[in-house]
Amino acid sequence: MARFGMVIDTKKCVGCMDCVVACKTENNVPEGFNRDWIVQDARGSFPTVNLEIRSERCNHCDNPPCVYCCPTGASHIHNLGGVVLVDHELCIGCKACIASCPYDARFVHPEGYVDKCTFCIHRVEEGLDPACVSVCPTYCMYFGDLEDPNSEVNKLLNSRKHHAVLPEAGTKPQIFYLE
Amino acid sequence: MDNISRRKFLKISATTISAAATLGAVGKITADVNKISGNTTKGLRKIPTFCDICFWKCGVIAYVKDGKLWKLEGNPLDPLSRGRLCPRGTGGVGSHYDPDRLKSPLIRKNNRGKEEWVAVTWDEAFDYIAQKMQDIKSKYGAESIAMFSHGIGGNFLKHTLKAFGTNNFAAPSFAQCRGPRDVGFKLTFGEDVSSPERTDIKNSKCLVLIGYHLGENMHNSQVQEFSEAIKKGASIIVVDPRFSIAASKAKYYLPIKPGTDLALILAWMNVIVNENLYDREYIEKYGFGFEQFKAEISNYTPEWAYPETGIEPDLIRNTAYEMAKYKPATLVHPGRHVTWYGDDTQRSRAIALLNALLGSWGRKGGFYTPVSMDLPDYPYPSYPKPTKPKVDNPDLKYPFAIETVTNGIREATISGNPYPVKGWFVYATNLIHALPNEDETIRAIQNLDLLVVIDVIPSEIAGWADVVLPESIYLERYDDLNVEWFREPFISLRQPVVDSPNDQKPNWWIAKKLAEKLELSEFYPWENIEDYLEYRLSAGGYDFEELKKTGIIKGSPQPIYFETGVPIEFPTPSGKIEFYSLQLAKAGFDPVPKYKKPEEGPPGYFRLLYGRAPVHSFSRTQTNRILMDMYNENEVWINKFIADRLGLKSGDYVKLKNQDGVVSNKIKVKATERIRPDCVYIVHGFGHNSKMLKFAYKKGASDSQLIKRYVIDPLMGGTGMNVNFVTIEMEV
Amino acid sequence: MNEITNTRMNPGIDPSLSIWNWEIPIYLFLGGIVAGMMIISGYFLFKGRTKDVECSCFLVPFISFILLSFGMLALFLDLEHKAYVWRVYTTFKIKSPMSWGSWILILIYPILILNILIRIPDFLSKKLKFLKSISLKINSHPTAIKNIGLVSMIFGALLGIYTGVLLSSLGARPLWNNSTLWILFLLSGLSSAAAFVHLIAKSKYESHLLAKADNVFLSLELIVLVLFLIGLLTSTQVHISAAEFLISGNYAPLFWVFVIGLGIIIPLIIQLYAVNNKIKHQPVAPIMVIIGGLILRFVIVNAGQASHWFNAGMLK
Ligand SMILES: Nc1nc2c(c(=O)[nH]1)N[C@H]1C(S)=C(S)[C@@H](COP(=O)(O)OP(=O)(O)OC[C@H]3O[C@@H](n4cnc5c(=O)[nH]c(N)nc54)[C@H](O)[C@@H]3O)O[C@H]1N2
Ligand SMILES: Nc1nc2c(c(=O)[nH]1)N[C@H]1C(S)=C(S)[C@@H](COP(=O)(O)OP(=O)(O)OC[C@H]3O[C@@H](n4cnc5c(=O)[nH]c(N)nc54)[C@H](O)[C@@H]3O)O[C@H]1N2
Ligand code: SF4
Ligand code: SF4
Ligand code: SF4
Ligand code: SF4
Ligand code: SF4
Ligand SMILES: [Mo]
């Protein structure tokens, strides 16, 4: 089985939000809503500052509470790559999944169902990278199969120091940030 | 689905994208279209064009689904975008759908600036304009009409006005932007840096950025190359009073006191020269006046520079060693928007000299030599000869101005000297935000008999116009061909992707119709712009139909470095790199740059600095709903310690008041460890005061409004704008 | 120094979670009080004490029916995709408390109806004559009544527990993610239910009895609340920060004054005096308990939404 994940090189990311804009147009994310976003994490005091910039989105967790808590099965693990998806036709909008996500990755779409990053599965199934990955002008995002030892994502993880966001929440996030 | 095919899909992806762009259609690899996406290839068209959210002109593939604009991606054939746009380019979709766009021609109903209009037909608008133009011509001469424009779209209107008889054309990209840099480099190497910059960032092993905030400044190829340099482990040195995004990538961050960069650069050169770290062979062969230069800079030690710049002598030395270590693949980037303090040409010249010491001009990892395609111009009849010289630079007051000085035209319009200016055409430049001191701009406007603004949204400058002409946005029109000077030769095409939603028209149509009203039809021998494009392309031996499909025609690669065969020429008076400039000496300027202390602000004031947000272009994207969704008001960066002292925290609203009492709109505080305590910083382009810009109105504060003072660069007329100071007023 | 900026601004999510407004606390409160009522009436039915405590056994199920329906209505109003609500009943998700809850609610209605049928209120039996015969049938089997009582207790307990588990299973919110929350909600439901019967029962005996019970529930509730806070305070920084919301943060005034003070301690004191016949029973005490129970749900739901892993000062 494939296990899709992302590896994002914070050394190259400039926080330009192209990934966010691309997600908007690709997926028609309505005005005022975001499936992905940028976190700037600055530590230290002037002029000795360390700044980590992260392009964040649903982590497509391996242990996804949002799926477990869903009463209808709308939130589910897709049969391809462990991607966590929401079936709009099954979602009743109870918002339990929103409350369950430590990353606040979900939101209520104006049409009533809960929405979030899909890892652009419609593109991935056509052999393309997710929209955010494919536009990034710094080429800092990598998408691929974490279970394939020869995938670029795996090579990067094996060769570079990395971390996930909030692993202590225990959801097993599948997006990794290279340091 | 089994995993082998899945893996294959992922591998194929990269090749698919480029193949798709070439062929104009993605062959679908799987029939399994996920129901979530609703994305089918039915009714999908892909049309190549190029971007106009800024002037980098990246190649775009526009996706049109069922006749509606869906998304914009980079054209992989395009050397500028390499298949990836910057966030503004990707968000260009929002410009097409912008509900605040101008919809029909407007004629002013009331006093100037009142923003009361009557919607008229194009014909009525042209009648009105042509009449006024003829009046001005008969009273003052055709030269009394000037045009401000920015971008390739202005070409046709310029053509019409040249045919009418004027020679006064200016863009803010010179005197408010890169002018000093280009003059400084031209004085030194005989050639300027031009746009897109000829900087070989991706191959540089040591990259020095002096207030050049890549990552926030999103000029696409430069950002892509910046990331490539990071990936290759280039040593990065960033000099900026603010801990910019680029600073966060740097090995050395130099938190310089604003306005003292020249001291730092002189000290660097002092170290490199005194410790014999420069490229001796290069300078012996190509340098002119090196000994005089060496003597001039002998006193500028790091110890001398320390109290000026606030940068420790050791840090100055170590960074100088770092640069020398990687020479000639060390690139001291000349920056772009360099109109900071009024001594900007000399600072830029110092940067040129530092590069010369490192031998980076013409070398891999330094400055390459751009190449371009040969494409003949359209054979128009020759223009009438203007009877007066250009109005902006009387008696060569700015002896080294190599382009027209916007503020020179403005000055002449106010004073009537050397001759009156009575008509302005303003194409795609929001002069209220682009020029410093908006009062002067308005005073000049009040002297006009005619102000025509061609814009896409009701910008501030449109608010002052007599006639406003609504242009189709770049995705809805043809423009002139982009024959770029870059790493490799290519031509790119802008072509319509979707229709204009209302009565907007493309600039070529506007220019042609106006010419017809002015009885200048002989200057438009072509019926339609497609005829014009077809003609030019076939004259060059290229196929228009092919270009429509690919968006890009490339020439064969040519050498771009001295070491690979570029002829080594320096078109200066001496034919060499001028370490000592006789031209400058003769004109009464320092032949080798000298440091002058910047003027300090009043006590309790902070120097106002400004720059870019990655998701906005100047003052032109604040009605683009997609980009505004990313960043919808600017913030004032205040050092955390200072903010604490003032009792301010992030998110509070304040107003900024400058040294002359000008008060800004309210603006949010960003209390941060990422800026020096002696300055504040805001993103340029916000704080719109045109009521017609409903969405952008009063969102954030305008730096332009606060930039009341400016210092003119005596060499070339540029306006140093980092010379204003503000205090922080609590918002009640 | 640690400076975090986040460009996300999703409605209901940022700057802090506020997806659940009045509907969910109301629902949790009504669910809790109904749970308590079912346990109480079930207990007496099971014990066969229908004569002593008529209100508990025969009026309370009917009131429960109405309150639960209001609760369900509140829950329904909270749904964002209302037309799809039936999807809940096309599946059962074993890991989802929400799914459990939905099915429990569906089973509770027949139990309440059976309970009501034991003695049908006059206005109903007049209109729907056939009910009378069902009622007669039930009453002819004393074990049936006993069993209805048992089932009522079991499902009441499930309902009460579930209202707590619903929140405590949401691990992303440190305040909720606590194993005592279900006991707290169960006890609070019981204390509110007992207070309610105490308030409305016509019989002095029943009222007095329920006041006594209420005192037990309130004392236990107080202990569990203390354990709940200690549990948080002795856990990780995120949990400590979450507890601080209640102890000293934005929700502290509501929590100390209305939940602890007016909601538990003062009514407990009044009722202790009353059951020991030092003073007469005061309607004010049970009213305070009920309001306290309601505010407890609001405080826990709102403070829980505000509590976050990132609040710990490490990230956000
Ligand atoms: N205070 C301050 N002043 C500055 C700068 C700064 O940072 N701060 N930056 C300076 C620099 S570097 C530069 S290059 C200049 C830039 O100056 P400008 O190029 O003048 O920039 P904008 O303010 O964005 O004005 C562009 C105008 O063109 C309009 N426009 C956009 N697209 C089209 C189109 O397709 N057709 C037509 N007809 N109009 C269009 C927009 O609506 C807007 O009104 O500003 C300079 N001035
Ligand atoms: N996203 C985006 N990108 C753009 C544009 C845009 O509108 N939007 N416009 C494009 C254009 S035309 C231009 S010209 C460029 C402009 O972009 P640049 O040439 O990179 O930048 P400037 O606006 O001159 O400078 C801003 C930076 O200089 C720093 N600075 C201010 N004062 C000083 C000083 O005294 N010394 C030093 N060392 N640093 C100082 C500021 O802190 C800030 O980081 O951006 C281009 N790219
Ligand atoms: S597009 Fe790439 S560089 Fe820009 S913010 Fe997103 S991940 Fe970072
Ligand atoms: S990030 Fe949140 S929404 Fe995404 S899988 Fe994990 S828990 Fe679910
Ligand atoms: S809101 Fe929708 S997706 Fe989320 S838990 Fe409820 S039904 Fe499932
Ligand atoms: S993977 Fe697709 S849906 Fe997810 S953030 Fe990227 S573009 Fe948006
Ligand atoms: S740099 Fe960005 S805005 Fe400028 S032309 Fe390229 S894609 Fe468009
Ligand atoms: Mo510029």
Side-chain angles (χ1 to χ4, degrees), chain B residues 19 104 186 213 253 261 275 314 533 624 628 642 705 718:
Chain B
S104 72
K186 203 167 171 167
H213 58 328
Y253 167 53
D261 299 83
E275 305 196 23
D314 278 351
L533 297 169
N624 179 318
M628 282 298 263
I642 301 285
Q705 191 189 11

Side-chain angles (χ1 to χ4, degrees), chain C residues 1-34:
Chain C
M1 242 316 280
N2 195 338
E3 206 177 295
I4 304 272
T5 60
N6 185 336
T7 65
R8 191 188 57 216
M9 261 304 148
N10 285 336
I13 314 295
D14 302 296
S16 81
L17 198 69
S18 55
I19 44 170
W20 284 334
N21 303 316
W22 61 271
E23 297 91 341
I24 293 297
I26 291 283
Y27 161 71
L28 292 177
F29 169 71
L30 292 175
I33 198 168
V34 167

Side-chain angles (χ1 to χ4, degrees), chain B residues 595-610:
Chain B
Y595 174 70
K596 271 205 313 285
K597 265 185 198 302
E599 225 172 287
E600 300 282 333
Y605 278 72
F606 305 90
R607 192 182 287 274
L608 175 68
L609 306 181
Y610 51 85

Side-chain angles (χ1 to χ4, degrees), chain B residues 240-251:
Chain B
D240 200 309
R242 185 180 62 100
F243 189 84
S244 59
I245 294 292
S248 75
K249 313 292 177 194
K251 180 168 173 193

